[in-house]
Amino acid sequence: MTDAMIGLVALPLTGALATLLLPRSATAVAVGTGLATTVAAGLLLFGVATQGALHYEIGGWNAGLGIALRADGLSALLLMMTSLVVLAASVYASAYFSADSTRDRFWPLWLLLWTSLNALLLSGDLFNLYVTLELLGLSAVALAALGGKRAAVAAALRYLLVGLLGSMMFLAGVSLIYAGYGTLDLAMLRRVVEPGPIAWTALALMTTGLLLKTALFPLHFWLPPAHASAPAPVSAVLSALVVKAAFYLVLRLWLDVFANVVTPVAANLLGLLGASAVLWGSWRALQAERLKLLAAYSTVAQLGYLFLFFPLLLALPPGPTRDLAAGGLVMLALTHGFAKAGLFLAIGIIQQRCGHDTIRDLDGTAQHLPATTFAIALAGVALIGLPPSGAFLGKWQLLAGAVETGQWLWLLVTATGSLLATAYIFRVLGHAFGHRPYPNQPVTVAREEWPALLLAAMAALVLGLAGAPVWKLLEIGI
Amino acid sequence: MNATSLLVFDGLLLCSIVGLAWASLASHDERRGVILFIAFGLLLAVAWGRLLAPDVALAEAAIGAGLSGALLLAAVRKQSPGSSRTHANPDRNRSESGAKVVLQWLVTLLCAALAGTLAWALLHALSSTPHDTLPRAISDNLVASGVSNPVTAVLLNFRAYDTLLELAVLLTAVLGIFALGQATAGYQPAGPVFDGLVRWLVPVLILTAGYLLWVGAHAPGGAFQAGATLAAAGVVLRLAGRSRIGLPDGFALRIVMAAGVGVFLLVGLTLLLLGRSFLDYPPAWASALILLIETAAMLSIAATLLLAFVGGQPQSAGVTAAANRQREEISR
Amino acid sequence: MMTTQVLYGLTACVIVALGLRGALLHASLLQRVVAINVMGAGVFMLLIAVAYRGPGLPPDPLPHALVLTGIVVAVSATALALALARRLHAEQDND
């Protein structure tokens, strides 16, 4: 079972090399690698569920001297989500790219991106996290610029520079930690870190770097153009997974490694920024002219919700209420991952078939792309937070926690944000439903529409109805 | 050297380094800024040597100052053939609007605050007793690691996983560069003096690279420094206008690009299949495996850095030669 | 606390701040990239200063390995950024 951890990194990396060396069979190799990696993620999830938190010391050296990989309930769940989303997007991408040259460039970079996501989620060493962050950033930028259109390249360049700034700040924090504590291993640090100038400064530096990468308001300016101009499968993964990875690191650092260093004041600051993100992102999404821009701003807003949990989790005393809230956070993160990916894939189909993604000119797409519109509707349900989506469970926990701790502001923000989300989703659906007769064939291009449908269904139905295991798994901490 | 003269040396070195950094960033001429940055990098290499970090000094000189500098200079050349571009220096332009000046002062204040906080935390860290568990563990396990250079041991054995991912970073960057377009046009064929220099410089560089690779096991050196030196040989050939710069064509090129990560993975997974942990070298085989991985890594690093300088997938040798011939005919 | 460590450590903080300021304020892409590299150099100096143990004693090799990795990562990122800029200029020239 612990070998699955190595498999999760080695399989996509080997696949990347294979697709580089065998461009003609690249698609088959890539999808095959995707299936294998997903199986490994499933094995890991099973292993964590049955055996508890797992760890693997690379090279056989004790953690500290070498680098350790660690998996607990949180990371195993995120790894499973990553695998399913990337697999679905890979199937979609196999039909999306028409030009040979773009396709040849796409697969190796795509699999390298997957490698970096898995490596980041599994890493148990601070400097190794820096390297995985850089790998993630570079592969994401290279994919975002694929196709070479001016808007995409400009947005990718800005993304790269912002990302580099973030990485440098993260590395400064890591260096300070090594200077102060002499170790880079996360488990060891959890035991020795104490509140003080070193821990505060290092955490502030690392968090700022990560907030740049997770696009939390007001450091979100780079996200909408980058996600809106990238090719559809890339946008799906960028919004659903890449920004989520940086958020996962903030979560891991604040609630796990530096748990006794964080203060409620700092958590409130994160909460306020999250609230601003929810309101600003939802408002801009409502004003957006293009579907992709709407989806990108929606990501900014949804990430804000995730940060609203921080002040709650710090205010609640350890116990069942806190565990429920933490589960709600993860459920919201997972649901958004699936929903946003499904949404972007569906928008990609519309963009290819209709030639544009302007919302106002969408009349009647529901009629000739019914499966796609249904996928958008399902994703919309999950983004608004209607039952039975997983987001409903997550937001419910958010509201319950806000009531419990008396932090009414978050209640107000969540309600307003959900209302705005309802508005912008219904605006899209309103334009999508015209008055033309219903076609005979619901699904037009299977390889593109099934992934979008399945992802959206996962978010809107499966996670909500079968969500109890999430809470159980989260009890398995590192 | 006694303590006082060392202190004077340190003071002068650090003042020069900070001065060069300031001048490079304050320069309103891009080319000058880049050249000052290269000088900054070279003085950094001196500082690393002073602080007993010769491996890092070699890498900084070859990669940090050398190749980065070459990349940046080539970028300046691309933007403005002939004259170098001047840019409004944020400090000097007096016609800036009031808001912009306020913003600049705010940012400067913010950065000063950052420096202060960082310094405060650092002083706290340095005043506590140095943590020696890791350095002691490294020296204790050095014999089992297969090499006697501790930095190589850390890079290729204890923290080999980091190095594997780092080679993947290099590969990602070059694949991204490939996706953006073809290589830049080459340089004009060199005159007789430069050509003569190249004729003996390139073999020396190749030999040095091989030496650095071999010696990295027990002295400062290793795959990265060797790879950078090898890339430098290719850069020199390119600057001399040669069409063949040492890169193979087509499939062979991909093999070389993938070799670093590939051999690493191969070794790691084979060890896994043999029942050991990933990248857990048996002590008897460790030095041989490390040399194998380093050789493949050196070739990959050299190819990747050279391709980054060239700016994309190189046109085949025939096309470049034809282009050179065309240019010669035009200049006549 | 060694004077050398303090000296180089404080200088490192100054260099990091200089680099950050340059990255935030400059308009030209090239100078931004240079500034980020300068910032990186500052962080590297921090690590190497922490690793130094004194004139006769062997330094801590771990930060040296980290800095080596960091240098290679920085040059990769620089190369990609410059390639993107070159493509952007090519697109703008074609308009």
Side-chain angles (χ1 to χ4, degrees), chain A residues 64-65 127 130-131 134 138-139 141-142 145 147-150 153-154 156-157 160-161 164-165 168-169 171-172 174-176 178-179 184, chain C residues 20 23-24 29 32-33 36 39-40 43-44 46-47 50 60 62-63 66 69-70 73-74 76-77 80-81 84-85 87-88 91-92 95:
Chain A
L65 183 59
F127 186 76
Y130 165 73
V131 181
E134 288 283 19
L138 288 188
S139 51
V141 166
K149 284 184 298 215
R150 167 131 59 109
V153 174
L157 190 52
L160 180 60
L161 290 177
L164 284 177
L165 206 62
M168 276 310 162
M169 301 192 73
L171 186 61
V174 172
S175 315
L176 210 53
Y178 187 74
L184 294 168
Chain C
L20 181 63
L24 292 174
L29 169 89
R32 279 213 166 107
V33 171
I36 292 180
M39 199 176 159
V43 179
F44 299 155
L46 195 79
L47 277 168
V50 165
D60 179 1
L62 194 98
L66 302 184
T69 308
V73 166
S76 312
L80 186 60
L84 282 168
R87 178 62 189 255
L88 200 61
E91 293 278 321
Q92 283 170 348
D95 286 343

Side-chain angles (χ1 to χ4, degrees), chain C residues 3-72:
Chain C
T3 334
T4 318
Q5 279 190 316
V6 172
L7 206 57
Y8 279 87
L10 292 179
T11 315
C13 300
V14 171
I15 298 178
V16 169
L18 274 177
L20 181 63
R21 181 179 178 276
L24 292 174
L25 285 182
H26 271 293
S28 145
L29 169 89
L30 202 71
Q31 289 174 318
R32 279 213 166 107
V33 171
V34 169
I36 292 180
N37 275 313
V38 168
M39 199 176 159
V43 179
F44 299 155
M45 187 180 278
L46 195 79
L47 277 168
I48 299 192
V50 165
Y52 185 66
R53 291 279 182 268
L57 303 166
D60 179 1
L62 194 98
H64 295 185
L66 302 184
V67 170
L68 254 168
T69 308
I71 291 176
V72 174

Side-chain angles (χ1 to χ4, degrees), chain B:
Chain B
M1 278 175 113
N2 62 16
T4 340
S5 52
L6 210 53
L7 201 60
V8 170
F9 173 76
D10 283 337
L12 287 173
L13 182 62
L14 288 174
C15 283
S16 315
I17 289 179
V18 175
L20 279 172
W22 182 288
S24 164
L25 291 173
S27 167
H28 40 226
D29 175 11
E30 278 187 353
R31 172 171 274 134
R32 188 157 72 199
V34 170
I35 294 177
L36 286 169
F37 173 72
I38 298 177
F40 166 76
L42 290 175
L43 275 193
L44 275 183
V46 172
W48 305 155
R50 150 74 181 100
L51 289 176
L52 303 181
D55 298 77
V56 186
L58 285 171
E60 179 76 52
I63 307 175
L67 266 144
S68 283
L71 286 169
L72 289 164
L73 268 181
V76 174
R77 181 188 96 118
K78 290 303 160 292
Q79 284 170 7
S80 49
S83 62
S84 46
R85 277 237 278 210
T86 35
H87 270 270
N89 185 312
D91 292 312
R92 301 254 200 106
N93 197 326
R94 259 168 243 141
S95 60
E96 302 270 33
S97 64
K100 266 198 174 172
V101 171
V102 169
L103 184 68
Q104 282 169 20
W105 275 107
L106 270 176
V107 170
T108 312
L109 229 65
L110 179 75
C111 296
L114 173 71
T117 322
L118 197 56
W120 169 60
L122 183 65
L123 286 174
H124 260 270
L126 289 176
S127 57
S128 56
T129 48
H131 301 262
D132 268 339
T133 29
L134 276 187
R136 241 181 293 130
I138 293 175
S139 53
D140 287 343
N141 288 293
L142 198 56
V143 179
S145 71
V147 292
S148 50
N149 176 357
V151 178
T152 308
V154 173
L155 275 176
L156 269 300
N157 197 338
F158 304 134
R159 296 183 69 99
Y161 180 55
D162 264 348
T163 312
L164 169 63
L165 289 179
E166 171 196 0
L167 290 172
V169 170
L170 266 174
L171 181 64
T172 308
V174 102
L175 287 176
I177 296 175
F178 269 26
L180 287 169
Q182 288 286 330
T184 55
Y187 290 76
Q188 299 229 346
V193 177
F194 191 26
D195 214 53
L197 181 75
V198 165
R199 230 177 273 269
W200 69 260
L201 186 59
V202 169
V204 165
L205 284 172
I206 297 179
L207 278 175
T208 313
Y211 171 74
L212 281 172
L213 177 68
W214 178 256
V215 89
H218 54 266
F224 293 99
Q225 296 86 341
T229 314
L230 210 52
V235 169
V236 166
L237 283 171
R238 178 124 170 120
L239 287 173
R242 302 286 182 88
S243 52
R244 303 194 65 82
I245 53 175
L247 287 172
D249 286 324
F251 186 66
L253 182 62
R254 292 179 204 237
I255 295 259
V256 172
M257 281 165 63
V261 179
V263 171
F264 232 131
L265 273 178
L266 210 65
V267 170
L269 292 173
T270 315
L271 288 168
L272 200 62
L273 287 172
L274 291 175
R276 302 180 71 90
S277 174
F278 186 68
L279 290 178
D280 179 10
Y281 316 133
W285 287 81
S287 43
L289 285 173
I290 290 181
L291 188 60
L292 175 67
I293 294 175
E294 280 205 295
T295 313
M298 173 187 78
L299 294 172
S300 264
I301 294 167
T304 311
L305 290 174
L306 187 52
L307 284 168
F309 179 73
V310 164
Q313 191 147 29
Q315 300 141 349
S316 63
V319 174
T320 328
N324 280 347
R325 257 178 275 129
Q326 254 188 339
R327 235 181 287 128
E328 277 174 55
E329 283 173 17
I330 295 170
S331 62
R332 261 188 235 133

